[in-house]
């Protein structure tokens, strides 16, 4: 992707909407929200605008968490029934040319790096299948020469036949590259903006990730490429979570309007210890995380809300019945970590170490069903389907 094409991302798509909102002004509106405004928004739950979302993440809404939990749970059950999907990350590579201050894969860490071969990848696949996993998220750092488009296509070919759904969390790609991967059966792509705030480049000082607008335009390219699921989120702890989350809600509303064929997924990555020893400048407490999950569900009942093993078993068990619809389990955050644990550099330490089978049991005890496959492209193509 040349510089000229990258520059156009500043002027079109979601970037154009984003430019209409000021960070400080948004922050001020959230802080100034009154309890009466929160009550008015809660009465209209289920069909809210991003400006309504401001009230749901405000300090004033903290006094309404019980009511928000009731509404969120009812909306979730109405839209998803008693179902939760389980997935596991499959790290393909820990090579990276970026220096994100918070990440265990930062190039500043002088440790040997790994990129899995076909044989090593299939060894990971075998362990995941044994664990009962049917949805995997392929993860790499950002090192296009080693784990670029060609390698990602190869890896998808190795892995795709073994799982019901395969998604990716890799460096931002061009629209044509996403299109080719979708044609090979890629289900979804997670691309977290990390922060929409003015200090983005301070946290991402080197490498291609410095380019805020190339990353901001990625969900547009995914929608245009027809990728079925687009994953958004911010890295909780980098900036004021209330303001950052408003911009996620703004992007959700934009994407739903322009790329209605794609589903939107929201994740809640909260900063965990990593080898770089980064201290989050704006730590997010448990009660704030609960408020945020409830706020997204009340804002939009169709969103997939996903909670990873970064969070504790206790918090995950409490949050799942209130609005979460996707969970990771048994995760390893180093390449080759399922077949050979702790042999390579990991991205971050996980918190909930329960296996997928233990997780499925915990879900069953809460009266929730585990969903293996929630969508299949052939449903829409087979003229005899349903006859
Ligand atoms: S967050 Fe991603 S891009 Fe940044 S250092 Fe880690 S792996 Fe590389």
């Amino acid at each position: 992707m040349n510089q000229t094409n990258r520059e156009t991302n500043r002027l079109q798509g979601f970037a154009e909407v984003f430019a209409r909102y000021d960070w400080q002004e948004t922050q001020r509106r959230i802080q100034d929200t009154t309890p009466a405004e929160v009550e008015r928004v809660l009465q209209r739950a289920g069909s809210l605008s991003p400006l309504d979302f401001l009230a749901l993440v405000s300090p004033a809404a903290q006094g309404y968490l019980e009511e928000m939990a009731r509404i969120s749970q009812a909306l979730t059950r109405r839209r998803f029934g008693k179902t939760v999907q389980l997935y596991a990350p499959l790290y393909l590579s820990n090579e990276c040319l970026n220096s994100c201050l918070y990440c265990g894969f930062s190039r500043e860490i002088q440790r040997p790096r790994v990129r899995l071969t076909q044989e090593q990848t299939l060894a990971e696949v075998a362990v995941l299948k044994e664990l009962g996993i049917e949805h995997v998220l392929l993860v790499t750092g950002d090192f296009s020469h080693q784990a670029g488009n060609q390698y990602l296509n190869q890896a998808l070919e190795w892995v795709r036949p073994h799982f019901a759904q395969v998604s990716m969390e890799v460096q931002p790609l061009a629209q044509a590259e996403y299109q080719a991967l979708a044609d090979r059966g890629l289900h979804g792509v997670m691309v977290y903006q990390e922060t929409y705030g003015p200090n983005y480049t301070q946290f991402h000082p080197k490498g291609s990730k410095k380019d805020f607008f190339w990353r901001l335009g990625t969900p547009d390219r995914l929608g245009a490429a027809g990728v079925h699921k687009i994953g958004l989120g911010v890295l909780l702890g980098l900036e004021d979570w209330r303001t950052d989350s408003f911009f996620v809600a703004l992007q959700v509303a934009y994407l739903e309007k322009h790329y209605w064929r794609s589903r939107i997924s929201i994740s809640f990555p909260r900063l965990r210890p990593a080898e770089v020893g980064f201290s989050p400048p704006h730590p997010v407490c448990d009660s704030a995380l609960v408020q945020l999950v409830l706020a997204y569900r009340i804002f939009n009942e169709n969103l997939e809300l996903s909670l990873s093993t970064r969070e504790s078993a206790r918090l995950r068990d409490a949050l799942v019945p209130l609005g979460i619809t996707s969970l990771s389990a048994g995760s390893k955050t180093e390449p080759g970590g399922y077949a050979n644990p702790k042999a390579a550099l990991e991205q971050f330490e996980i918190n909930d170490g329960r296996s997928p089978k233990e997780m499925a049991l915990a879900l069953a005890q809460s009266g929730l069903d585990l969903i293996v496959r929630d969508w299949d492209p052939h449903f829409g193509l087979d003229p005899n389907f349903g006859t």
Side-chain angles (χ1 to χ4, degrees):
M1 181 58 52
N2 65 39
Q3 194 58 32
T4 309
N5 285 343
R6 285 190 172 215
E7 286 296 318
T8 58
N9 276 282
R10 293 171 181 276
L11 311 170
Q12 62 190 28
F14 177 66
E16 204 187 325
V17 177
F18 174 76
R20 293 180 212 145
Y21 293 84
D22 176 74
W23 178 272
Q24 271 84 24
E25 170 61 14
T26 304
Q27 203 165 25
R28 190 191 58 72
R29 286 183 70 165
I30 293 170
Q31 292 297 327
D32 290 350
T33 302
T34 64
E37 285 171 309
V38 176
E39 285 171 23
R40 273 199 296 276
V41 167
L42 288 179
Q43 278 165 11
R44 293 186 286 106
S47 60
L48 301 177
S49 72
L51 290 178
D52 294 323
F53 181 83
L54 293 174
L56 298 175
V57 289
S58 69
Q62 279 162 352
Y64 295 85
L65 285 188
E66 277 187 27
E67 188 178 344
M68 286 174 69
R70 271 197 303 279
I71 297 170
S72 171
Q73 190 166 31
L75 290 171
T76 308
R77 296 286 84 86
R78 187 172 80 182
R79 170 64 181 80
F80 293 90
K82 293 186 171 182
T83 60
V84 180
Q85 188 182 60
L86 206 62
Y87 77 94
L90 196 174
Y91 278 70
L92 294 169
S93 163
N94 55 12
E95 296 166 313
C96 193
L97 289 175
N98 292 324
S99 303
C100 309
L101 299 190
Y102 47 80
C103 180
F105 290 170
S106 161
R107 67 183 287 184
E108 309 304 326
I109 296 175
Q110 305 298 316
R111 286 275 301 275
R113 304 300 173 120
V114 183
R115 188 193 68 168
L116 299 188
T117 62
Q118 181 175 8
E119 192 184 344
Q120 291 167 323
T121 304
L122 292 177
E124 295 290 272
V125 167
V127 178
L128 287 168
K129 293 296 290 183
E130 187 64 26
L131 290 170
I133 292 293
E134 283 296 336
H135 185 189
V136 285
L137 178 67
L138 303 181
V139 185
T140 67
D142 182 350
F143 195 173
S144 297
H145 301 307
Q146 297 290 335
N149 195 35
Q150 193 185 354
Y151 176 74
L152 295 174
N153 275 278
Q154 274 178 340
L156 186 58
E157 241 173 54
W158 302 335
V159 171
R160 182 67 190 90
H162 302 281
F163 296 98
Q165 292 177 353
V166 179
S167 299
M168 282 186 180
E169 187 180 336
V170 302
Q171 69 273 22
L173 303 174
Q175 182 182 324
E177 293 172 322
Y178 285 133
Q179 229 142 16
L181 288 164
D183 290 346
R184 281 179 195 268
L186 182 68
H187 177 72
V189 174
M190 312 295 125
V191 57
Y192 311 134
Q193 185 61 31
E194 318 296 17
T195 176
Y196 295 75
N199 297 319
Y200 176 91
T201 41
Q202 185 185 310
F203 299 117
H204 309 98
K206 293 185 198 162
S208 59
K209 199 160 172 179
K210 242 175 95 172
D211 189 339
F212 176 90
F213 284 97
W214 175 242
R215 199 168 187 86
L216 192 70
T218 308
D220 271 295
R221 300 194 297 280
L222 286 165
V227 172
H228 179 69
K229 184 162 76 178
I230 302 173
L232 306 179
V234 290
L235 195 50
L236 297 168
L238 282 189
E239 286 282 7
D240 169 27
W241 65 270
R242 302 176 198 276
T243 311
D244 248 343
S245 303
F246 162 75
F247 285 100
V248 176
L250 194 64
Q251 196 158 20
V252 166
Y254 166 85
L255 291 171
E256 282 197 335
K257 188 170 164 196
H258 290 84
Y259 310 106
W260 54 270
R261 285 188 178 83
S262 296
R263 286 183 63 201
I264 313 291
S265 173
I266 305 282
S267 296
F268 303 87
R270 188 157 59 152
L271 277 163
R272 297 275 307 143
E275 197 158 332
V276 278
F278 178 76
S279 297
H282 297 270
V284 174
C285 66
D286 284 359
S287 125
L289 184 58
V290 171
Q291 184 180 350
L292 186 55
V293 170
L294 303 179
Y296 278 126
R297 174 60 67 224
I298 294 169
F299 165 60
N300 185 322
E301 64 183 349
N302 294 317
L303 293 174
E304 174 183 277
L305 299 183
S306 184
L307 199 60
S308 79
T309 52
R310 285 172 181 261
E311 298 304 332
S312 68
R314 183 189 56 78
L315 187 66
R316 295 210 312 162
D317 286 351
L319 265 173
V320 168
L322 300 182
I324 296 296
T325 52
S326 168
L327 287 169
S328 56
S331 304
K332 304 290 180 191
T333 69
E334 72 273 27
Y338 294 104
N340 295 295
K342 301 288 180 194
L345 179 66
E346 65 180 3
Q347 191 178 31
F348 59 88
E349 294 169 22
I350 65 158
N351 201 336
D352 183 353
R354 287 176 292 181
S355 70
K357 284 189 177 133
E358 289 169 322
M359 199 64 238
L361 195 62
L363 288 174
Q365 281 164 355
S366 304
L368 295 167
D369 294 328
L370 192 62
I371 294 291
V372 168
R373 185 196 292 250
D374 66 351
W375 179 83
D376 191 307
H378 300 105
F379 290 170
L381 299 177
D382 182 354
N384 299 317
F385 180 75
T387 59

